[in-house]
Amino acid sequence: MADTVTDTPADIDTPTDVDTPTDVGTRKFPQSRFAPPPGATEILLVRHGESAPHVEGESFALVDGHGDPPLAPDGWEQAKLAAQRLIDTGERIAAVYVTTLQRTHQTAEPLLEYLEMEATEIADLREVFLGDWEGGEFRKRVADGDPIAQRMYVEQRWDVIPGGEPAHQFENRVRRGIERIAADHPDELVVAVVHGGVIGQIINIATGSTGFSFVGSDNASISHIVVTPDRWVVRCWNDTSHLSPTFSTAAEPLI
């Protein structure tokens, strides 16, 4: 008698398809990817481009007591590169914030032109007040190795400068500025063009750090935080990949 051949329907598992006993009921846990919690605000912090140099014997114009230099030619180019980075990544930007100082307005211009958007000014995120060393004097004192400047670095406090803004006041107003942005933009992403000292303070608040640990972000660098009512999360700090193919090692002015 001839052998009988029976076809196996395609939808029926063959023995090789059957889970082994060790697989049955086993749960797997892949690494999770970060996602902002509901109601959170993502803020891309852009430090302004390089500002004009201080000329000895002259003073920058002041706005509410703060030195207000314009961007240097290199600063305009940095602003364009930062804007292109944000455009190329396809970020869905709900708003752009700047401070009362012109270097942030000028840095934001290329991005605002592309987005066809107007910037919102937020005074609480202006740079730390340098007291008697405003108007460019700070740069000269640091360059000359002034004893007070050296003490400032040792103690990691801006308020050792005569008339400088007290540390707690600076922290409180920066916190207030970020909280205002977050309150206005739940579940949205915004750009805030601010200052090196301000970015350092924001990252300090988010991480519980103190002093100058995060002061010195590069001009036109991008940092990324996520703000919730319960905590601030740092996603990245001082991203400069749009400015240079190498990690930054060149000395940058603090302010």
Side-chain angles (χ1 to χ4, degrees), residues 18-241:
V18 177
D19 291 335
T20 62
T22 56
D23 291 329
V24 175
T26 300
R27 296 189 298 163
K28 298 180 180 179
F29 302 94
Q31 288 188 311
S32 59
R33 297 181 179 181
F34 177 84
T41 303
E42 295 186 74
I43 305 177
L44 297 176
L45 302 164
V46 179
R47 188 187 175 196
H48 62 79
E50 182 179 340
S51 58
H54 170 57
V55 177
E56 191 166 19
E58 300 179 8
S59 176
F60 295 135
L62 301 179
V63 172
D64 297 326
H66 290 255
D68 191 33
L71 290 185
D74 283 350
W76 284 103
E77 292 304 312
Q78 292 165 347
K80 293 175 184 177
L81 292 171
Q84 195 61 53
R85 172 74 184 285
L86 295 171
I87 293 166
D88 288 346
T89 57
E91 306 295 346
R92 300 183 64 178
I93 299 169
V96 177
Y97 285 83
V98 295
T99 76
T100 56
L101 303 175
Q102 66 173 324
R103 54 196 184 272
T104 65
H105 288 253
Q106 293 171 343
T107 301
E109 277 185 25
L111 179 63
L112 291 168
E113 181 178 353
Y114 175 83
L115 296 174
E116 298 182 339
M117 187 182 290
E118 295 291 328
T120 300
E121 196 171 272
I122 184 162
D124 278 335
L125 297 182
R126 67 192 180 279
E127 187 58 289
V128 62
F129 180 60
L130 300 174
D132 294 350
W133 290 7
E134 278 292 353
E137 185 69 14
F138 174 87
R139 298 185 190 181
K140 176 181 178 296
R141 297 278 185 158
V142 170
D144 290 346
D146 186 286
I148 295 178
Q150 295 177 11
R151 179 185 161 206
M152 176 192 73
Y153 284 112
V154 170
E155 298 186 16
Q156 300 189 49
R157 296 177 61 93
W158 301 110
D159 53 8
V160 302
I161 298 170
E165 186 170 7
H168 69 282
Q169 291 184 14
F170 181 47
E171 177 181 348
N172 288 343
R173 72 168 169 87
V174 168
R175 185 188 299 274
R176 184 169 63 239
I178 293 297
E179 288 177 345
R180 173 191 152 189
I181 292 174
D184 289 345
H185 298 280
D187 296 310
E188 291 182 329
L189 179 145
V190 305
V191 170
V193 184
V194 292
H195 307 269
V198 171
I199 292 171
Q201 183 62 65
I202 290 170
I203 305 301
N204 275 357
I205 293 171
T207 62
S209 300
T210 59
F212 290 174
S213 297
F214 293 99
V215 166
S217 56
D218 292 295
N219 291 114
S221 64
I222 301 174
S223 301
H224 181 192
I225 64 168
V226 178
V227 180
T228 76
D230 300 322
R231 62 179 181 141
W232 299 6
V233 178
V234 178
R235 298 293 292 146
C236 76
W237 176 74
N238 198 50
D239 185 339
T240 58
S241 58

